[in-house]
Amino acid sequence: PGDCSVRLRHRPFELDIQAQGRIIQRLNSRHFLNFEQHREKSDMRSQKQRSSNLLDATDIDSSDLWEEAFGEHIDSKPWGPSAVGMDVVFEHAPV
């Protein structure tokens, strides 16, 4: 409390959190920030038709991209899968 600061860089996006002049946490320092974009089922078909050497999880198992079942409840996802991922580093944390 009191002697804390945050350093924000916008290109590429990085956020450092400091306490008492020492960085304690870094967000996106390895630049893994990823937003999975909303899409429609027809977009998925056209993506699969394009030739590409890239592979993602939806290429391996696309069985629950548009709806998931939790017991008897079915959760529909009208825009397909969506996720946000980012690397977080806790500096000086014992491993």
Side-chain angles (χ1 to χ4, degrees), residues 48-65:
K48 301 280 186 206
Q49 291 171 351
R50 290 185 219 136
S51 62
S52 174
N53 293 331
L54 299 175
L55 180 72
D56 71 15
T58 61
D59 295 325
I60 297 167
D61 181 11
S62 59
S63 61
D64 61 355
L65 291 181

Side-chain angles (χ1 to χ4, degrees), residues 37-50:
Q37 296 184 7
H38 291 225
R39 54 193 155 204
E40 295 184 29
K41 286 183 182 183
S42 60
D43 292 342
M44 291 296 291
R45 288 187 199 105
S46 63
Q47 280 181 342
K48 301 280 186 206
Q49 291 171 351
R50 290 185 219 136

Side-chain angles (χ1 to χ4, degrees), residues 2-61:
D3 191 17
C4 298
S5 65
V6 174
R7 182 172 52 185
L8 173 66
R9 287 179 294 282
H10 74 283
R11 190 166 285 180
F13 171 75
E14 294 179 12
L15 186 72
D16 293 341
I17 301 169
Q18 298 181 354
Q20 300 171 349
R22 187 172 156 184
I23 294 175
I24 57 172
Q25 188 175 28
R26 291 179 180 236
L27 295 144
N28 203 44
S29 64
R30 298 189 308 165
H31 308 145
F32 290 152
L33 177 63
N34 182 46
F35 287 90
E36 190 170 26
Q37 296 184 7
H38 291 225
R39 54 193 155 204
E40 295 184 29
K41 286 183 182 183
S42 60
D43 292 342
M44 291 296 291
R45 288 187 199 105
S46 63
Q47 280 181 342
K48 301 280 186 206
Q49 291 171 351
R50 290 185 219 136
S51 62
S52 174
N53 293 331
L54 299 175
L55 180 72
D56 71 15
T58 61
D59 295 325
I60 297 167
D61 181 11

Side-chain angles (χ1 to χ4, degrees), residues 58-78:
T58 61
D59 295 325
I60 297 167
D61 181 11
S62 59
S63 61
D64 61 355
L65 291 181
W66 304 100
E67 65 181 25
E68 289 179 89
F70 302 97
E72 294 183 22
H73 175 74
I74 295 178
D75 181 21
S76 78
K77 299 184 268 182

